[in-house]
Amino acid sequence: VQLQASGGGLVQAGDSLRLSCSTSEPTLADYAVGWFRRPLGKDREFVAAISWNGVTTFYADSVNGRFTISRDNAKGTAYLQMSSLKPEDSAVYYCAAGRATSYSGSSDEEEYDYWGQGTQVTVSS
């Protein structure tokens, strides 16, 4: 599965942005999708995850209530809607697909089999 993350950019604090994670493969529906991010100079961290059917979602505390993860299996695409962005949200954002964790999603990077290349999000104050 080849994943393509897109939608990043430079925005101001308080703005919104939507990231997309797409694949040409028809099998994304078999996988949970997770979003992770790596702030400059820091380790990669979990952001949000969604089960294969979109029923189960969960978020890192730092983004809960501001970010929404969703997916459209017919389009082979998952999304991360980010609102009320803060400068500390600035990072390279990665999407990942995990088959073993498909029923729930996971905050553990080790549960994901495939990764996109990352898209930069920069939030200015």
Side-chain angles (χ1 to χ4, degrees):
V1 177
Q2 291 187 332
L3 302 174
Q4 179 74 33
S6 62
L10 172 62
V11 297
Q12 294 186 331
D15 284 351
S16 297
L17 203 60
R18 189 177 79 162
L19 305 183
S20 298
C21 177
S22 61
T23 176
S24 58
E25 299 285 337
T27 56
L28 186 64
D30 295 336
Y31 296 81
V33 173
W35 284 96
F36 294 78
R37 66 187 182 188
R38 186 192 300 274
L40 185 63
K42 297 183 179 181
D43 293 334
R44 189 159 59 188
E45 61 186 27
F46 169 74
V47 176
I50 187 168
S51 61
W52 71 275
N53 58 2
V55 171
T56 301
T57 61
F58 60 100
Y59 302 87
D61 290 343
S62 59
V63 306
N64 196 24
R66 299 188 298 120
F67 290 12
T68 302
I69 189 171
S70 62
R71 65 189 300 160
D72 185 338
N73 286 340
K75 295 182 178 180
T77 304
Y79 305 96
L80 184 68
Q81 178 68 48
M82 306 185 294
S83 302
S84 302
L85 282 162
K86 305 175 181 179
E88 51 264 43
D89 294 319
S90 296
V92 178
Y93 282 71
Y94 300 89
C95 62
R99 193 180 190 102
T101 191
S102 63
Y103 283 93
S104 62
S106 174
S107 60
D108 184 352
E109 293 186 16
E110 297 297 322
E111 296 285 348
Y112 293 90
D113 308 302
Y114 304 100
W115 291 81
Q117 85 290 357
T119 184
Q120 176 72 47
V121 173
T122 303
V123 185
S124 63
S125 58

